[in-house]
Amino acid sequence: MDLLSGTYIFAVLLACVVFQSDAQEKNYTVREEMPENVLIGDLLKELNLSLIPEKSLTSPMQFKLVYKTGDVPLIRIEEGTGEIFTAGTRIDREKLCADILVETRCFYEVEVAVLPDEIFRLVKIRFLLEDINDNAPLFPATVINISIPENSAINSRYALPADIDPDIGINGVQNYQLIKGQSMFRLDVIETPEGDKTPQLIVQKELDREEKDTYVMKVKVEDGGFPQRSSTAILQINVADTNDNHPVFKENEIEISIPENAPVGTSVTQVHATDADIGENAKIHFYFSNLVSNIAKKLFHLNNITGLITIKEPLDREESPNHKLQVLASDGGLMPARAMVLVNVTDINDNVPSIDIRYIINPINGTVILSENAPLNTKIALITVTDKDADHNGRVTCFTDHEVPFRLRPVFSNQFLLETAAYLDYESTREYAIKLLAVDAGKPPLNQSSMLLVKVKDENDNAPVFIQPFISLSVAENNSPGTKLTKISAVDADSGHNAEINYLLGVDAPSEFNLDHRTGILTAGKKLDREKQEKYSFTVLAKDNGIPSFMTNATVLVTILDQNDNSPIFTHNEYNFYVPENLPRHGTVGLITVTDPDYGENSAVTLSILDVNDDFTIDPQTGVIRPNISFDREKQESYTFYVKAEDGGKVSHSSTAKVTINVIDVNDNKPVFVVPSSNNSYELVLPSTNPGTVVFTVVAIDNDTGMNAELHYNIVGGNTKGLFIIDQTTGNITLKEKCVVTDLGLHRLVVKAKDLGQPDSLFNVVIVNLFVNESVTNATLIHELVHKNIETPVTPNTKTTDASSPTSDYVKITVAIIAGTITVIIVIFITAIVRCCQSPHLKTAQKNKQNSEWVTPNPENKQMIMMMMKKKRKKKKKKKKRKHAPNNLLLNFVTIEETKADDAENDGNSATLDVPIQLEEQTMGKYNWGTIPTTFKPDIPDLAWHYKSASPQPAFQIQPETPLNLKHHIIHELPLDNTFVACDSISKCSSSSSDPYSVSEYSYSVTTFKTPASIHTRPVVNPSF
């Protein structure tokens, strides 16, 4: 028997290793007392079974709860969805786990089988039952009597009976409260090592039995649950005489092991206690605490005199494996001693194994009906073998007693699946009686057997067979509906009703075909179109009438023959091509794509251009369009024609499409200035203009389009003082800083307009003349200055660096102020002497003052300016000299260079512009200047002819000099190499390196100044390009 048992154990362990994969465990937490139909979990999702396609299963997925016949499950499961719900049966944790220690968690287990066999899983579900506060704590009695000696010291403690609460944790007893303690007593709660809370009564005042021998009050106990529950009891305290020594146990904790088959009356242990008192006060009485369970009190007896604990009723380890016995020793006083006796009941092999059969396939009258077509590993039942014994005595193996086509497959430690191990055949064996045998490992081993009946059900196990598993046929398109195509035939090896065959079209069969379910004749129910579908491949089915029926399929391939019934189709009804205007002749414009749904010669398409068009050609086969002309967007922006497509059918079909060729602009036009209309115009700027004010707007246009016509403006010449800035987008010229006296006069700006064309941008320049003055008193003079301005060299915008330190500047300014003061004093002194020495002739000449305006060129090198005048000059000779004064022509060049850089600001373009500018100094007695044209033609001479000057003369400026009072002055001829300015005693003499011509009005007395005047210049501002 031992050898047989060992063999079975090895077989079971081996099967566990091989088949463990089908067993799974899931844990859930459920609160007790939950109502019916509360969702607990979803096995379909949590086992990842939703990923399994339904089409791959022979039958729908099913979740079946496996439980013992006669048991009432606490949960239910939806067989189709796997959702777990609470059932109508009440879940009471205290009832289900009544014999479990307080600190032990309470579980409820159940198994679920997942069907069909292709995806079979056996899932053990373990529910952890959470406690809720559904029980109120209760005192052992509604009236508690306690006796306290009258000589009790203050703060003496007396134990009260502890209450009982079946709930655990926070839902158990948490607090005791004394109601109406009459200030004589108070209550304290002591927690034992086992976690129990016991109340103790504390004396707060001295007692006197003769004065009052009885105190009545209430004690209240509360748990910590929600909602909180409580109960009360009446506490009656009797004041008694004193017993001042308490019993003491020799051992406070005793642990004993005793076999479960110990006979009744067997001694378990004896507790010993002593009392230092004598007489009646030393007599010790032993008894169990009210915290000892009722089961323990039923099984054990405590001798109240000797303290001997004996077995009162037979023990059963399977029911209660251990017991806690709290023994109290009292000498009649109110503080008994406590000792804990822990009794462990050891196991003996006194229980035979039990076999629990939980059917997966529901039996009929106790017999499982199983089809002969049941696949291998078909699960029949879950076999659970248990043994109430422990350890080795509780190890159980299970097996069948003889050879049958079934096997037991281990899934958990004590559970097996009964499943088919071979294919069943009704014709050979119609019924099986399976004997299940369970044997434990005790000595001697105990066994148990159980019988399970299985009947095999006959099935229709032969499928129809097609004569031709693959059927190929062809038919011309545009057929008449109802045309017969072929007849399909199949045979079935079965007979009778199971051999009757019905023909069906498969689910992939198109709606164009019909199949007679009895004769198998296949017809075309609709008109077929090869262009929609050339071939049809679908399945036909042959199904017998057996239950369940068998079905076989065959493949049908129908080929549709072509007819020329379609015209060529352009991919677009209208084609729009975009080509650059510099595309060479015979380059590629675009491609026309044409399709024809027909086949063979019916789909061969030839392309041509309608209405003879010599400007373009098209390749008849490829559809490539090429130009025979050169494009010029400015002359013609688009071309339109039609293309014809014709197929090669016997009766040909054709179609046409419109083609539009749009010419894309290339940057081949330079910007043209509209405002100013010419280089000879000017704009008045008042000195009082605030900085930031737009004083002039430059406008240019570009005949190109898009980015090629988008312009940016920059000041590339003049403006050496940095008085003006320009917005590169709008062309607005803005005053940068407040005008001072030295800024009065004509300012000349060279403005460049550059487009953003790619790959190379184009540009043009224009001269903008800005006249800074309060008003234009002599427009003719301004026009003359503008004309001269065109011929005068322009100082290019260059960056200057002031290397002087603040200290050197301060010294220079101080020296200049001192020198200027001395000069003014000397000039006033000399002027006074000269006026005193004037002749009457000169005084008469001064009365006939002439009104005129003069121009003072100022060189850039800041040299000293001296003006020598003759004391006496005749008026007539002076006029004659003015009439015949030769024209002094100043010619110079300015080079404007634009450097190509990588930054985006100058767009990577480079150009050099040499601008010759002439200044014609004429006598101011007569002005005869022409009218400035108002239209700036695009074809005016390019300013590029000003580039690359060979003149050695430096660029110069004309600086305004504004007097404080008089408006009359005398014009003197100025030599080319020496530029000087004469001013009277109250005029402010200054010069600057400003580029524009300056026109000022003032008067002075004719005299000769020999004292040199210092020049104060404005620092040159670095203009930003």
Side-chain angles (χ1 to χ4, degrees):
M1 187 65 183
D2 291 343
L3 178 61
L4 180 62
S5 176
T7 303
Y8 284 134
I9 291 174
F10 176 76
V12 169
L13 293 177
L14 180 62
C16 288
V17 173
V18 176
F19 299 108
Q20 192 68 23
S21 59
D22 284 346
Q24 292 180 270
E25 292 188 9
K26 292 297 295 182
N27 295 318
Y28 295 98
T29 301
V30 181
R31 293 197 313 271
E32 64 171 334
E33 307 293 347
M34 290 184 68
E36 187 178 2
N37 295 327
V38 175
L39 179 63
I40 300 174
D42 189 339
L43 290 180
L44 183 66
K45 293 182 180 178
E46 294 170 6
L47 297 178
N48 294 324
L49 297 177
S50 59
L51 303 177
I52 300 175
E54 290 287 344
K55 294 182 179 180
S56 64
L57 304 179
T58 57
S59 61
M61 189 181 301
Q62 183 181 7
F63 296 86
K64 186 172 182 61
L65 191 64
V66 181
Y67 58 92
K68 187 176 181 180
T69 304
D71 287 351
V72 180
L74 299 181
I75 58 101
R76 68 176 180 86
I77 187 167
E78 288 289 334
E79 294 189 354
T81 64
E83 293 177 327
I84 305 171
F85 296 90
T86 55
T89 306
R90 174 172 174 255
I91 301 176
D92 188 352
R93 190 198 66 84
E94 289 75 28
K95 181 178 179 182
L96 292 173
C97 303
D99 298 329
I100 297 179
L101 297 179
V102 173
E103 62 270 13
T104 305
R105 297 191 295 177
C106 180
F107 289 97
Y108 169 71
E109 293 182 354
V110 69
E111 289 81 23
V112 174
V114 182
L115 304 173
D117 287 326
E118 297 97 296
I119 59 168
F120 178 82
R121 285 169 175 77
L122 183 64
V123 185
K124 179 184 288 291
I125 303 177
R126 175 176 291 184
F127 298 94
L128 173 62
L129 302 182
E130 282 189 345
D131 180 52
I132 66 171
N133 194 25
D134 56 345
N135 292 282
L138 297 175
F139 286 99
T142 57
V143 178
I144 301 173
N145 290 299
I146 185 172
S147 179
I148 298 177
E150 62 178 334
N151 62 345
S152 297
I154 296 176
N155 294 326
S156 296
R157 293 173 176 265
Y158 297 92
L160 297 181
D163 80 315
I164 299 173
D165 192 333
D167 294 324
I168 62 173
I170 193 66
N171 295 326
V173 175
Q174 297 296 321
N175 185 39
Y176 290 88
Q177 183 179 352
L178 193 63
I179 302 175
K180 296 181 180 179
Q182 303 176 11
S183 73
M184 294 294 294
F185 305 95
R186 68 181 178 90
L187 202 63
D188 190 15
V189 180
I190 302 300
E191 186 171 350
T192 66
E194 293 78 22
D196 298 323
K197 292 181 173 62
T198 59
Q200 290 185 351
L201 189 68
I202 301 175
V203 178
Q204 295 194 119
K205 293 183 179 180
E206 292 183 356
L207 301 176
D208 187 352
R209 189 189 66 79
E210 287 73 24
E211 181 179 338
K212 188 174 183 180
D213 60 354
T214 303
Y215 296 89
V216 179
M217 58 199 72
K218 287 185 178 181
V219 61
K220 180 179 181 182
V221 61
E222 297 174 333
D223 62 22
F226 182 83
Q228 190 179 55
R229 298 177 182 271
S230 63
S231 64
T232 59
I234 297 175
L235 178 61
Q236 183 171 320
I237 302 172
N238 299 313
V239 181
D241 286 333
T242 303
N243 180 10
D244 55 354
N245 287 288
H246 305 296
V248 177
F249 279 102
K250 291 182 179 180
E251 294 179 290
N252 291 328
E253 186 172 339
I254 303 172
E255 185 172 0
I256 297 296
S257 295
I258 188 168
E260 62 177 328
N261 62 347
V264 175
T266 300
S267 297
V268 177
T269 187
Q270 185 176 10
V271 293
H272 298 277
T274 59
D275 193 318
D277 293 327
I278 60 174
E280 290 297 326
N281 292 332
K283 291 182 179 180
I284 299 175
H285 174 73
F286 298 96
Y287 59 94
F288 286 131
S289 168
N290 65 326
L291 294 178
V292 176
S293 66
N294 293 329
I295 295 177
K297 291 178 180 179
K298 180 180 178 182
L299 296 176
F300 299 96
H301 171 72
L302 175 62
N303 189 303
N304 59 359
I305 302 299
T306 63
L308 179 64
I309 301 175
T310 58
I311 298 175
K312 187 165 60 174
E313 290 187 9
L315 302 178
D316 190 350
R317 189 206 63 82
E318 288 70 36
E319 292 184 2
S320 298
N322 50 57
H323 303 274
K324 287 184 177 181
L325 307 176
Q326 189 178 50
V327 180
L328 303 181
S330 176
D331 60 358
L334 299 179
M335 284 297 293
R338 298 173 184 270
M340 179 62 70
V341 178
L342 181 61
V343 180
N344 296 316
V345 182
T346 59
D347 181 59
I348 64 169
N349 192 21
D350 58 345
N351 291 281
V352 297
S354 64
I355 300 175
D356 181 17
I357 301 176
R358 303 179 186 182
Y359 291 97
I360 296 174
I361 298 177
N362 293 331
I364 299 175
N365 297 325
T367 302
V368 175
I369 308 298
L370 192 61
S371 169
E372 66 172 329
N373 293 332
L376 289 176
N377 304 322
T378 298
K379 279 64 180 179
I380 300 171
L382 176 65
I383 310 300
T384 302
V385 292
T386 58
D387 193 320
K388 294 182 180 181
D389 295 324
D391 300 327
H392 195 70
N393 297 327
R395 296 177 184 174
V396 182
T397 58
C398 185
F399 50 90
T400 58
D401 64 340
H402 60 275
E403 291 293 330
V404 288
F406 303 95
R407 65 186 171 198
L408 291 173
R409 181 153 67 99
V411 287
F412 296 109
S413 60
N414 61 339
Q415 289 182 309
F416 304 84
L417 277 173
L418 178 65
E419 61 184 13
T420 58
Y423 292 105
L424 304 179
D425 188 359
Y426 174 81
E427 288 71 26
S428 62
T429 305
R430 299 184 180 186
E431 183 175 325
Y432 294 92
I434 304 172
K435 184 178 181 181
L436 302 175
L437 185 64
V439 181
D440 65 21
K443 291 184 180 181
L446 303 178
N447 63 77
Q448 178 71 290
S449 63
S450 180
M451 193 68 69
L452 189 148
L453 298 178
V454 177
K455 285 187 178 181
V456 181
K457 180 183 177 183
D458 188 29
E459 299 291 347
N460 178 30
D461 53 357
N462 289 287
V465 177
F466 279 97
I467 298 175
Q468 289 180 279
F470 182 80
I471 304 167
S472 179
L473 55 99
S474 61
V475 60
E477 65 176 332
N478 302 320
N479 61 289
S480 300
T483 301
K484 178 180 176 181
L485 302 181
T486 188
K487 181 178 180 181
I488 298 172
S489 298
V491 295
D492 193 317
D494 293 325
S495 61
H497 191 68
N498 292 332
E500 295 177 359
I501 299 176
N502 289 326
Y503 298 96
L504 305 169
L505 287 173
V507 293
D508 59 342
S511 60
E512 287 82 357
F513 300 96
N514 296 323
L515 181 63
D516 190 286
H517 72 282
R518 297 186 64 184
T519 63
I521 295 176
L522 180 68
T523 58
K526 296 181 180 179
K527 182 179 178 181
L528 302 176
D529 188 352
R530 191 204 66 82
E531 286 70 39
K532 291 183 178 178
Q533 188 166 346
E534 182 178 359
K535 293 184 178 181
Y536 294 89
S537 179
F538 54 91
T539 304
V540 292
L541 306 174
K543 180 181 180 182
D544 62 25
N545 290 329
I547 299 176
S549 63
F550 277 99
M551 188 180 300
T552 306
N553 61 65
T555 300
V556 177
L557 178 64
V558 180
T559 303
I560 312 301
L561 304 179
D562 183 56
Q563 293 182 343
N564 190 23
D565 55 350
N566 290 279
S567 299
I569 301 173
F570 287 92
T571 55
H572 299 84
N573 295 329
E574 181 176 349
Y575 292 85
N576 286 280
F577 298 104
Y578 295 85
V579 297
E581 58 181 325
N582 58 356
L583 181 72
R585 290 189 179 186
H586 310 299
T588 300
V589 172
L591 178 67
I592 299 294
T593 304
V594 184
T595 59
D596 193 318
D598 292 325
Y599 180 74
E601 290 296 327
N602 296 331
S603 63
V605 179
T606 302
L607 296 171
S608 61
I609 297 178
L610 294 178
D611 302 330
V612 180
N613 188 327
D614 296 333
D615 293 341
F616 300 92
T617 60
I618 187 169
D619 189 290
Q621 278 73 41
T622 64
V624 176
I625 299 176
R626 302 180 186 277
N628 294 328
I629 59 173
S630 297
F631 296 109
D632 188 348
R633 189 196 65 82
E634 285 73 27
K635 291 182 179 180
Q636 185 171 349
E637 295 184 354
S638 64
Y639 300 84
T640 302
F641 54 87
Y642 288 85
V643 173
K644 177 183 177 182
E646 186 174 8
D647 63 26
K650 292 182 179 179
V651 180
S652 63
H653 294 273
S654 64
S655 57
T656 60
K658 182 180 178 182
V659 177
T660 301
I661 299 175
N662 302 283
V663 182
I664 300 175
D665 181 52
V666 175
N667 192 25
D668 55 355
N669 290 280
K670 294 198 300 183
V672 176
F673 283 96
V674 177
V675 179
S677 57
S678 73
N679 292 335
N680 297 324
S681 62
Y682 71 93
E683 183 73 16
L684 176 65
V685 179
L686 298 178
S688 60
T689 303
N690 293 324
T693 303
V694 177
V695 299
F696 190 72
T697 300
V698 178
V699 179
I701 60 175
D702 194 315
N703 287 334
D704 294 321
T705 60
M707 294 296 291
N708 297 332
E710 187 172 340
L711 303 179
H712 280 183
Y713 300 92
N714 286 291
I715 298 176
V716 297
N719 196 35
T720 55
K721 289 185 177 183
L723 192 59
F724 301 96
I725 58 175
I726 188 169
D727 187 292
Q728 69 170 359
T729 303
T730 63
N732 292 335
I733 298 177
T734 307
L735 185 63
K736 184 177 180 182
E737 58 185 43
K738 190 70 174 179
C739 294
V740 297
V741 175
T742 57
D743 295 330
L744 299 180
L746 189 63
H747 293 256
R748 179 174 43 164
L749 311 178
V750 178
V751 176
K752 181 177 78 171
K754 178 177 66 175
D755 62 31
L756 301 181
Q758 295 295 336
D760 297 320
S761 63
L762 302 176
F763 70 91
N764 209 341
V765 296
V766 70
I767 295 178
V768 177
N769 299 288
L770 300 176
F771 183 60
V772 180
N773 205 8
E774 292 293 342
S775 63
V776 180
T777 57
N778 194 333
T780 305
L781 176 60
I782 303 305
H783 282 299
E784 183 65 24
L785 290 176
V786 170
H787 278 287
K788 292 181 179 181
N789 192 10
I790 297 301
E791 302 170 353
T792 304
V794 179
T795 302
N797 287 351
T798 59
K799 296 182 179 180
T800 61
T801 303
D802 188 5
S804 62
S805 63
T807 305
S808 60
D809 291 342
Y810 178 79
V811 173
K812 292 177 182 180
I813 293 171
T814 305
V815 173
I817 292 174
I818 297 173
T821 304
I822 296 173
T823 302
V824 171
I825 295 173
I826 294 173
V827 170
I828 294 173
F829 179 75
I830 295 173
T831 302
I833 295 175
V834 171
R835 286 188 176 179
C836 293
C837 299
Q838 277 182 336
S839 63
H841 176 74
L842 187 56
K843 291 180 180 180
T844 303
Q846 289 179 344
K847 293 180 180 179
N848 299 323
K849 295 178 181 179
Q850 299 180 1
N851 292 328
S852 64
E853 296 178 351
W854 58 282
V855 177
T856 62
N858 185 16
E860 190 176 5
N861 58 6
K862 305 179 182 178
Q863 65 181 2
M864 296 290 287
I865 301 175
M866 296 296 295
M867 177 178 178
M868 301 301 296
M869 302 179 63
K870 295 181 180 180
K871 292 183 179 180
K872 296 182 181 180
R873 183 176 293 176
K874 293 183 180 180
K875 185 176 184 181
K876 183 175 181 180
K877 186 176 181 180
K878 194 181 299 181
K879 291 182 179 179
K880 183 177 180 180
K881 189 172 183 178
R882 287 175 183 169
K883 292 180 181 179
H884 300 284
N887 293 338
N888 296 324
L889 182 62
L890 299 179
L891 180 62
N892 206 343
F893 291 81
V894 61
T895 298
I896 304 169
E897 182 174 1
E898 181 181 8
T899 304
K900 180 176 292 185
D902 292 333
D903 54 59
E905 185 176 353
N906 49 33
D907 299 328
N909 297 318
S910 176
T912 303
L913 177 63
D914 293 338
V915 183
I917 301 178
Q918 298 175 351
L919 172 62
E920 184 178 356
E921 292 189 353
Q922 298 177 350
T923 57
M924 306 304 289
K926 183 178 181 180
Y927 301 102
N928 187 17
W929 295 346
T931 305
I932 298 173
T934 59
T935 303
F936 187 65
K937 300 295 184 179
D939 56 350
I940 65 170
D942 194 337
L943 292 179
W945 65 275
H946 289 289
Y947 281 53
K948 300 181 181 179
S949 171
S951 173
Q953 296 181 353
F956 64 91
Q957 297 83 22
I958 298 177
Q959 184 68 23
E961 301 290 340
T962 305
L964 297 177
N965 48 10
L966 300 177
K967 294 184 179 180
H968 301 285
H969 56 269
I970 299 174
I971 305 300
H972 288 267
E973 293 178 4
L974 305 178
L976 293 177
D977 297 328
N978 267 333
T979 303
F980 54 90
V981 178
C983 52
D984 59 16
S985 60
I986 61 175
S987 298
K988 178 181 179 183
C989 296
S990 63
S991 66
S992 172
S993 60
S994 173
D995 175 63
Y997 296 107
S998 301
V999 179
S1000 304
E1001 301 178 29
Y1002 65 94
S1003 63
Y1004 58 91
S1005 302
V1006 179
T1007 182
T1008 301
F1009 303 133
K1010 297 182 180 181
T1011 305
S1014 61
I1015 308 301
H1016 303 279
T1017 63
R1018 175 200 297 269
V1020 177
V1021 178
N1022 295 334
S1024 60
F1025 287 89

